[in-house]
């Protein structure tokens, strides 16, 4: 049976994070001067039970940072709500419309860049095929040489068009990868990470550590049977 109930202001996923931070602090207690009495007065298991039972009190010490963290995280998870609020609050033209028009223009250029190599390659095959057929039938015909020359010209154009198409597709991919929406989402993700770090720091410095220090101060007794020397235990 659990000794504590989840505080109403802390979500389940965040309560697991609280427990993780608490366990890390208890594991590192021997390296923290402020927790040097762990094991002498109260053992880690006892402190953990006490902290979980008082989790609502401990997490309240970082309530402001937690509320900001949850708000920013919800905005990232549900961007449609934030966009709806922004549309209601402002009637200014959306700058994304210009980017959308530019994207359509870039798409048209990309289509042309893809079709050009296909058309020139088709023309090259046709001219070369006709030229070699005419040369086979009548090697002295000048039109055969003209057809072959045109075929090789279109072949060179095909190679050039392929290079241009590859460069255009690469530029389009790079442009789409650095779109305003992508940059905005990356910035929001970084902001969530900073808000989470701020909450964890506040929770640790203003909540968990002070609680553990006070618990050790208020309980000057021994750590209990879990830390007793097994060689001196009675049979």
């Amino acid at each position: 049976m659990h000794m504590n109930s989840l505080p109403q202001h802390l979500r389940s996923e965040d309560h697991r994070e609280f427990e993780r931070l608490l366990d890390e602090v208890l594991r590192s207690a021997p390296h923290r001067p402020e927790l040097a009495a762990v094991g002498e007065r109260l053992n880690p298991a006892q402190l953990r039970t006490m902290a979980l039972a008082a989790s609502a009190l401990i997490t309240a010490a970082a309530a402001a940072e937690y509320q900001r963290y949850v708000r920013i995280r919800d905005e990232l998870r549900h961007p449609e709500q934030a966009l709806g609020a922004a549309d209601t609050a402002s009637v200014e033209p959306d700058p994304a419309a210009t980017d959308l028009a530019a994207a359509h223009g870039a798409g048209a250029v990309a289509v042309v860049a893809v079709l050009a190599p296909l058309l020139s390659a088709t023309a090259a095959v046709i001219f070369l095929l006709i030229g070699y057929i005419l040369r086979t039938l009548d090697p002295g015909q000048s039109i055969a040489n003209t057809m072959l020359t045109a075929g090789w010209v279109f072949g060179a154009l095909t190679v050039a068009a392929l290079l241009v198409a590859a460069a255009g597709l690469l530029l389009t991919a790079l442009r789409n990868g650095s779109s305003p929406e992508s940059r905005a989402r990356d910035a929001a993700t970084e902001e969530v990470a900073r808000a989470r770090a701020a909450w964890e720091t506040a929770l640790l410095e203003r909540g968990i550590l002070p609680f553990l220090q006070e618990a050790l101060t208020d309980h000057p007794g021994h750590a209990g049977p879990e830390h007793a020397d097994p060689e001196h235990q009675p049979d």
Side-chain angles (χ1 to χ4, degrees):
M1 179 178 179
H2 294 289
M3 303 253 334
N4 68 302
S5 59
L6 293 179
Q8 296 299 318
H9 67 276
L10 198 65
R11 299 183 182 181
S12 177
E13 59 183 305
D14 301 320
H15 192 270
R16 291 192 295 270
E17 182 65 15
F18 162 72
E19 292 185 1
R20 184 189 66 81
L21 286 174
L22 174 62
D23 292 338
E24 286 185 359
V25 171
L26 292 175
R27 281 195 298 268
S28 63
H31 307 290
R32 295 178 178 271
E34 64 272 29
L35 299 180
V38 173
E40 298 177 1
R41 300 177 180 178
L42 292 172
N43 60 49
Q46 292 170 326
L47 287 171
R48 188 179 193 276
T49 300
M50 294 172 62
L52 292 178
S55 58
L57 177 64
I58 296 174
T59 56
E65 289 80 3
Y66 178 67
Q67 291 174 1
R68 180 176 181 273
Y69 167 49
V70 170
R71 175 179 59 80
I72 297 176
R73 184 178 62 186
D74 287 345
E75 290 176 356
L76 179 63
R77 291 178 177 178
H78 309 286
E80 65 280 358
Q81 298 179 0
L83 289 175
D87 292 339
T88 303
S90 176
V91 294
E92 294 181 358
D94 187 2
T98 304
D99 296 325
L100 183 60
H104 284 300
V109 173
V111 170
V112 173
V114 172
L115 289 178
L118 293 178
L119 295 176
S120 59
T122 302
V125 170
I126 293 174
F127 280 109
L128 289 174
L129 181 61
I130 295 175
Y132 280 114
I133 292 175
L134 292 176
R135 174 180 288 184
T136 301
L137 296 177
D138 187 359
Q141 288 188 1
S142 60
I143 190 173
N145 295 329
T146 302
M147 288 291 183
L148 291 175
T149 301
W152 287 117
V153 170
F154 276 107
L157 290 176
T158 300
V159 175
L162 286 174
L163 294 176
V164 173
L169 293 176
L170 178 60
L171 290 176
T172 301
L174 293 175
R175 186 182 298 109
N176 292 337
S178 60
S179 64
E181 293 80 3
S182 178
R183 292 195 298 270
R185 185 168 184 83
D186 292 342
T189 302
E190 294 178 359
E191 189 176 3
V192 169
R194 289 193 296 268
R196 175 175 177 173
W199 170 58
E200 292 179 350
T201 300
L203 180 61
L204 179 64
E205 296 179 352
R206 300 204 304 264
I208 296 177
L209 286 176
F211 176 84
L212 296 179
Q213 291 173 337
E214 184 176 355
L216 291 172
T217 302
D218 294 342
H219 294 78
H222 295 289
E226 291 186 12
H227 284 260
D229 188 348
E231 296 182 359
H232 293 84
Q233 292 182 359
D235 297 334

